Amino acid sequence: MSKTIKLKKGFDIKLAGKAEKQLGDFQRAQTFAIKPADFIGMQRPKVTVNEGDSVKAGTPILFDKAMDSVQFVSPVSGEIVEIKRGDKRKLLEIKILADEVVSYESFEKFTESSLKTIGKETAIAQLCKSGVWPQLIQRPFGIIANPQDSPKSIFISGFDTNPLAPDYAFALKGEEKYFKAGILVLQKLTSGKVHLGLELDAEIAPVFANVQGVQINKFSGPHPAGNVGIHIHHIDPINKGEIVWTISPFGVIQMGKLFLEGKYDASKVIAVTGSEAKKAVYAKTYLGACVDTLVKGNLKQDHIRVVSGNVLTGEKINTDGYLGYYANQITLLPEGDYYEFLGWMKPTSDKLSYHRALGLLSFLTPNKEYVLDTNVRGEERAFVQTGVFESVTPMDILPVYLLKAILAEDFDEMEELGIYEVVEEDLALCEFVDVSKHPVQEIIRKGIDLIQYS
Amino acid sequence: MKFLRDLLDKQKPLFHKGGKLENLFYLYEAGETFLFSPNHTNGIKGAQVKDAIDLKRMMITVVIAMIPCLLFGIYNTGHQHFLATGQTAGLWDDFGPKSLLGLQLVLPIVIVAYAAGGLVEAGFAVVRKHPINEGFLVTGMLIPLIVPATLPLWQVALGTIFAVIIAKEVFGGTGMNILNVAMTARAFLYFAYPAQISGDQVWTYLGDKAPVDGFSGATALAVAYNAGVDEQPVTQALAEHNSVLGDGLFSFYNMFMGWIPGSIGETSTLMALVGALILVATGVASWKIIVSGFAGAYLMGLVMNLFAVNEYMAMSPEYHWVVGGLAFGIVFMATDPVSAAQTETGKWIYGLLIGILTVIIRVTNPAYPEGIMLAVLFMNVFAPLIDYYVVKANKNRRLQRATV
């Protein structure tokens, strides 16, 4: 039974620097890195390679002692050049210098028809040892799924409403076969349904056309309508004790490639976006690529910030930093470390605001694309304004009460108010619109950690 | 601007940790952030860009929305004086002298309220080491607007200090308070010094001039209440009131416009509505509270009509909108986001009950002619209870989903 959900709450952050639908001719990155910090919920990372070892794409380099069946593998073939550790020997990065031509570890190959007949155990074993497994994320908590669990359903969001997000129709072009095969594998992992959320009133991307074995649900409305957490809330909400898995379309395709081609293929098309990019286009690269080849020579000015991911949920990286494991885009923004004379009362039409308070004129030009920098635009204060978070959260959840319950470390209250249904990205807009400038996403993660580890 | 920035940067080390004036850091910070929005950038993880709004901008929007009431109040203060002392009868005659007199009376009150409250605020910021709260921009303006122009300045100062400390700072500052700060100031003055803030001697400034023979300084509320006692139709009593000064002084139109004696900024329903328009258009105040507040007063007025045992109860409900400070209270006091209900459903109930309570207190209580002050404070206390049930409903929906 496919469902249609029309959402009204939310807000589209329209930014300048959307990627043109063409592949840029960037040089391939020299180095790649896997950062344990990208894997939320990883507790005791253990490196299984040494500096100087040579690896292939798909060679295990890391695992979590708390869940040792799941391997984390090298995205490319080459040599391990650095295992970077921080304070208290905390593992930060495993850096790989890539070969010119990528060679692959080989895994068992299947045909489309034989895929239908393989068992759940075979599928799980292959996913775990090949390094594709970490694409599966468990809700609640937004952590890497546990192979021993059986989720009540699996959700895929087929569109991204985040600011400057890549268009899947373009980025996943030509991967139709692998997406279909990936779905076949996913069906083995759950006793329930596999849900695919698509945008209402939009042309169906070729990659999602004629996909069998999924329930297609359609959503309309402003961001976060494309967030998988919003889809779950409206289609098959998570109650205490229940588990749902989510996976990105890229993850599904990686799964399909693993089973049809017998290799771990980490190549992906990402969007290079943001107002400071000279050429905002798509780029073909691999998971964990160094972004220097995408950034250098592609900047309008020097005082910028490189964000791995989008501006709502992304992470600041250096100009020679590495693409996040789950990131589908990089965003280049002007850095905002400047003072502004009477900035709090000056009328402004070139700064975006969800609000309409005195002098905030952006509501008059709803279609304008804004150049936003990284300035906080004010100071942190206690909660004062009410009703705003609710108006950008298309879920039956009271964000301010949930946040206050987390700050008070009130476990029962957190549970009752729906902590199991949210991860950072679902309330990221609250952080953007907040008058009092709270680190909403950080607080949410703190709450999830409290619930998860105690 | 460069010059100012350089000056601030040069002084900065003095106030930072280890500097000579390190204790006064938050005073420096208040000044600095007033002049320049800070250069802070967003953290490594999470939202990399932020909305242009901040609390300062929100608060200044409320102050701007009060300016029509303030300007009107200044002129009306002068106008009432000239009217009562028989110097002019026309509304716009002697515009200059009236404005000047109004300024002379009102401006000191505004200055004293800001100065007294500001000092307390700064003192707490220094001792408790928290940033200075912008909320005071609003409180400092609200307090002058809800007291009579004749109020002694030391009482203005005392009321403000009491409210800022007891209603706000002891709870931890703006955002943590339970009661509306300005209403607390007024309630304190009302019960501590009733002679200067109630009765019929305080609303019109007479100075050393004698009033016209037969002049009464009663407010429309008092006239309406007394009409109920004297078994005289309220509209008739209002029409006949102070006829020595001219006809129809307390006509519906005049009361709506606000050309009547009362507290400085609350007489004009029109100006309160202009303020409401600004607050609602900018999204700063909840339109739900405003609409349901007015609706509650009207509904309760109708109910009173149904069970009328005296003339006041029989008064046409729309009169409740224009007499006294109901409009001002609902627009500027009830909508204070911190002390109001914080859930969207709760806001409807909260506003409605404020309107209802105001009319009940007005009509049935012999001690307090005006009900909005106590209604707002009372509902401030009950707002968390309303929210409690709205939040509980949300939790129950989640729970039910799990068991189905």
Side-chain angles (χ1 to χ4, degrees):
Chain A
M1 286 301 283
S2 81
K3 286 187 187 167
T4 301
I5 312 278
K6 290 181 180 166
L7 303 170
K8 290 210 174 64
K9 294 174 174 181
F11 185 58
D12 284 323
I13 298 176
K14 295 204 174 72
L15 296 182
K18 202 170 179 56
E20 272 178 63
K21 284 182 191 166
Q22 63 180 66
L23 278 178
D25 53 347
F26 299 101
Q27 263 192 316
R28 201 204 66 186
Q30 293 290 311
T31 55
F32 293 79
I34 292 296
K35 298 179 277 188
D38 285 345
F39 308 112
I40 297 174
M42 180 178 259
Q43 294 172 33
R44 286 175 288 153
K46 170 83 183 155
V47 189
T48 55
V49 287
N50 295 311
E51 284 178 12
D53 288 2
S54 54
V55 290
K56 290 181 180 170
T59 307
I61 56 173
L62 177 74
F63 70 94
D64 181 358
K65 282 190 205 159
M67 200 158 72
D68 55 8
S69 61
V70 178
Q71 298 295 333
F72 296 80
V73 303
S74 171
V76 289
S77 62
E79 183 194 342
I80 307 283
V81 284
E82 190 185 353
I83 296 172
K84 197 169 161 187
R85 291 181 183 273
D87 292 344
K88 294 184 187 167
R89 286 184 43 83
K90 187 185 174 191
L91 184 61
L92 299 180
E93 279 171 6
I94 302 171
K95 244 184 245 181
I96 301 133
L97 180 65
D99 297 337
E100 284 300 317
V101 181
V102 178
S103 56
Y104 297 90
E105 292 278 357
S106 61
F107 299 98
E108 199 179 344
K109 257 165 121 171
F110 298 87
T111 60
E112 273 165 69
S113 51
S114 67
L115 248 189
K116 286 177 185 158
T117 58
I118 63 167
K120 182 180 172 184
E121 278 68 34
T122 323
I124 289 177
Q126 170 120 328
L127 287 169
C128 285
K129 75 172 179 209
S130 66
V132 176
W133 187 267
Q135 295 289 342
L136 282 164
I137 302 294
Q138 172 203 305
R139 299 283 188 119
F141 310 143
I143 54 177
I144 292 172
N146 186 337
Q148 274 150 24
D149 288 334
S150 179
K152 67 168 179 167
S153 51
I154 296 177
F155 279 79
I156 308 158
S157 173
F159 65 116
D160 191 342
T161 48
N162 277 296
L164 300 176
D167 179 1
Y168 287 155
F170 182 81
L172 305 179
K173 205 162 53 182
E175 313 276 19
E176 292 80 5
K177 185 171 82 171
Y178 301 117
F179 188 82
K180 287 189 181 107
I183 296 290
L184 289 178
V185 180
L186 282 179
Q187 283 171 333
K188 311 199 181 303
L189 303 180
T190 174
S191 48
K193 285 178 182 161
V194 178
H195 294 270
L196 175 60
L198 296 177
E199 196 174 3
L200 185 69
D201 304 327
E203 207 182 319
I204 293 180
V207 67
F208 304 129
N210 309 317
V211 176
Q212 302 294 314
V214 293
Q215 173 174 327
I216 291 182
N217 306 300
K218 298 217 170 181
F219 296 83
S220 70
H223 182 69
N227 278 13
V228 68
I230 308 296
H231 299 180
I232 299 172
H233 179 86
H234 288 279
I235 305 292
D236 191 9
I238 302 164
N239 301 306
K240 189 181 178 180
E242 293 178 341
I243 287 175
V244 166
W245 287 352
T246 71
I247 184 168
S248 68
F250 168 76
V252 182
I253 288 165
Q254 216 186 11
M255 247 179 216
K257 280 181 184 161
L258 172 69
F259 283 86
L260 293 185
E261 309 291 336
K263 66 179 186 184
Y264 175 77
D265 185 351
S267 67
K268 74 195 304 192
V269 173
I270 65 158
V272 179
T273 66
S275 60
E276 303 315 293
K278 263 191 212 159
K279 291 180 295 178
V281 289
Y282 288 80
K284 196 163 169 56
T285 182
Y286 293 82
L287 272 185
C290 181
V291 297
D292 58 353
T293 55
L294 305 175
V295 174
K296 283 185 188 136
N298 192 17
L299 292 173
K300 289 181 185 165
Q301 50 130 334
D302 284 340
H303 199 52
I304 54 109
R305 176 182 290 202
V306 183
V307 178
S308 160
N310 64 65
V311 295
L312 280 177
T313 59
E315 183 178 0
K316 173 189 172 177
I317 56 174
N318 293 332
T319 49
D320 57 354
Y322 293 89
L323 192 65
Y325 189 84
Y326 299 102
N328 295 321
Q329 66 183 115
I330 62 169
T331 312
L332 306 173
L333 300 171
E335 196 62 86
D337 55 345
Y338 56 87
Y339 293 95
E340 190 180 12
F341 184 64
L342 295 181
W344 58 280
M345 66 165 152
K346 225 163 47 181
T348 170
S349 58
D350 54 7
K351 290 187 197 118
L352 180 64
S353 180
Y354 174 72
H355 304 264
R356 299 187 305 268
L358 186 80
L360 297 177
L361 304 174
S362 67
F363 73 95
L364 297 172
T365 49
N367 291 320
K368 182 174 167 179
E369 291 181 343
Y370 290 82
V371 176
L372 298 188
D373 58 51
T374 62
N375 193 286
V376 179
R377 310 238 165 275
E379 302 126 88
E380 192 170 323
R381 289 290 184 263
F383 286 107
V384 171
Q385 184 61 304
T386 58
V388 183
F389 286 11
E390 285 82 351
S391 69
V392 294
T393 309
M395 296 197 267
D396 187 16
I397 270 184
L398 300 166
V400 178
Y401 283 89
L402 178 59
L403 292 170
K404 286 184 177 174
I406 294 170
L407 293 173
E409 305 195 358
D410 183 335
F411 288 68
D412 293 342
E413 192 83 357
M414 278 190 247
E415 261 183 31
E416 289 168 355
L417 288 168
I419 185 91
Y420 296 122
E421 298 183 53
V422 293
V423 297
E424 293 97 318
E425 62 171 16
D426 299 323
L427 296 180
L429 261 181
C430 298
E431 187 167 309
F432 175 79
V433 302
D434 188 7
V435 178
S436 305
K437 313 288 175 189
H438 286 97
V440 173
Q441 300 185 73
E442 196 185 308
I443 298 174
I444 289 293
R445 179 47 63 184
K446 185 187 160 208
I448 293 174
D449 284 348
L450 282 173
I451 288 275
Q452 190 189 348
Y453 296 120
S454 49
Chain B
M1 299 320 103
K2 179 95 177 58
F3 156 74
L4 268 175
R5 188 64 246 166
D6 289 346
L7 191 73
L8 282 167
D9 284 340
K10 218 170 134 191
Q11 308 306 324
K12 210 170 200 167
L14 270 179
F15 297 93
H16 272 270
K17 222 177 164 65
K20 272 188 188 148
L21 301 173
E22 132 185 38
N23 288 334
L24 301 180
F25 172 73
Y26 285 106
L27 288 188
Y28 168 83
E29 194 217 21
E32 187 195 10
T33 56
F34 177 84
L35 285 171
F36 291 93
S37 296
N39 63 346
H40 304 161
T41 53
N42 295 307
I44 289 175
K45 273 188 120 165
Q48 304 286 320
V49 295
K50 291 270 171 80
D51 195 293
I53 187 104
D54 70 349
L55 198 58
K56 283 190 172 68
R57 197 182 278 268
M58 201 180 103
M59 290 299 180
I60 200 75
T61 308
V62 184
V63 174
I64 300 276
M66 280 189 282
I67 285 181
C69 286
L70 177 73
L71 294 179
F72 184 92
I74 288 173
Y75 185 73
N76 188 47
T77 301
H79 174 64
Q80 292 302 325
H81 169 80
F82 276 59
L83 202 61
T85 54
Q87 297 180 62
T88 46
L91 197 53
W92 301 109
D93 300 341
D94 292 320
F95 182 84
K98 282 180 186 170
S99 312
L100 210 62
L101 178 70
L103 269 179
Q104 267 173 26
L105 291 168
V106 175
L107 214 54
I109 298 182
V110 176
I111 293 170
V112 167
Y114 268 117
L119 278 176
V120 177
E121 190 79 45
F124 267 87
V126 167
V127 175
R128 300 283 309 276
K129 302 210 185 307
H130 67 60
I132 291 189
N133 291 314
E134 289 83 5
F136 188 71
L137 288 175
V138 175
T139 317
M141 181 66 102
L142 274 174
I143 292 174
L145 294 181
I146 53 171
V147 297
T150 58
L151 193 73
L153 291 178
W154 67 268
Q155 288 189 9
V156 176
L158 194 65
T160 310
I161 292 169
F162 175 88
V164 172
I165 294 177
I166 299 297
K168 189 167 78 174
E169 290 299 341
V170 296
F171 292 103
T174 299
M176 318 285 183
N177 49 310
I178 294 168
L179 297 177
N180 182 298
V181 184
M183 273 307 192
T184 310
R186 194 180 197 281
F188 169 75
L189 292 173
Y190 187 87
F191 292 109
Y193 306 101
Q196 277 80 33
I197 201 167
S198 59
D200 53 10
Q201 303 299 317
V202 302
W203 307 108
T204 307
Y205 172 76
L206 294 171
D208 48 9
K209 291 208 166 58
V212 176
D213 274 349
F215 164 79
S216 149
T219 60
L221 274 172
V223 173
Y225 187 78
N226 288 331
V229 178
D230 300 342
E231 306 278 317
Q232 184 191 20
V234 174
T235 41
Q236 192 192 336
L238 285 170
E240 288 171 2
H241 178 74
N242 261 352
S243 49
V244 286
L245 301 181
D247 282 338
L249 224 49
F250 281 0
S251 67
F252 187 86
Y253 173 77
N254 250 11
M255 293 192 294
F256 175 75
M257 296 301 287
W259 304 114
I260 50 172
S263 295
I264 294 167
E266 46 106 79
T267 59
S268 175
T269 305
L270 178 67
M271 292 301 146
L273 289 179
V274 171
L277 200 69
I278 296 175
L279 290 178
V280 170
T282 55
V284 169
S286 164
W287 61 272
K288 291 171 188 162
I289 294 177
I290 298 177
V291 168
S292 64
F294 281 105
Y298 192 86
L299 282 177
M300 199 60 217
L302 280 179
V303 172
M304 288 285 178
N305 287 176
L306 282 178
F307 301 99
V309 293
N310 65 33
E311 290 292 344
Y312 196 7
M313 286 178 80
M315 183 174 82
S316 198
E318 68 271 16
Y319 274 81
H320 281 296
W321 286 347
V322 296
V323 298
L326 178 95
F328 186 87
I330 286 177
V331 172
F332 292 106
M333 302 289 185
T335 56
D336 166 17
V338 177
S339 56
Q342 308 197 348
T343 52
E344 297 306 296
T345 320
K347 284 173 185 169
W348 287 111
I349 303 168
Y350 169 83
L352 199 73
L353 286 174
I354 284 183
I356 290 174
L357 272 176
T358 303
V359 171
I360 294 180
I361 296 172
R362 277 180 178 179
V363 177
T364 63
N365 190 314
Y368 312 121
E370 178 52 298
I372 185 74
M373 175 178 86
L374 293 172
V376 168
L377 288 174
F378 195 70
M379 289 315 297
N380 282 170
V381 174
F382 273 86
L385 185 68
I386 300 173
D387 285 336
Y388 174 81
Y389 282 104
V390 176
V391 173
K392 199 171 171 186
N394 177 283
K395 292 175 182 171
N396 282 345
R397 281 197 295 279
R398 192 161 292 113
L399 215 60
Q400 265 169 12
R401 192 181 70 195
T403 48
V404 163

